[in-house]
Amino acid sequence: MSTLLAIMILAATTVLVLGNLRGVAADTYQALAGATARTRDRGLLIPRLAFAALWLLIFVLGYF
């Protein structure tokens, strides 16, 4: 019963997200653009990109 409820909730959520995909994409773009602009204005863009690249490298190399 719990599995059926979980699958129904997952399906409903998927339908809602896919139905509003354009709005989700626009909101995501706005959030990322705003965060990037604020980070660039403070002069923290390069250090944060380097930190993100370091973590990405750690996780990617962890799978090999």
Side-chain angles (χ1 to χ4, degrees), residues 33-64:
T36 303
R38 285 190 306 274
T39 303
R40 187 179 60 229
D41 290 343
R42 294 180 187 153
L44 297 173
L45 185 60
I46 300 296
R48 289 201 177 160
L49 284 176
F51 186 69
L54 173 66
W55 277 106
L56 184 63
L57 181 67
I58 289 169
F59 284 124
V60 168
L61 290 177
Y63 287 110
F64 292 114

Side-chain angles (χ1 to χ4, degrees), residues 13-34:
T13 304
T14 302
V15 168
L16 287 173
V17 169
L18 291 177
N20 296 316
L21 195 56
R22 180 174 286 167
V24 170
D27 290 345
T28 302
Y29 174 77
Q30 274 186 325
L32 288 175

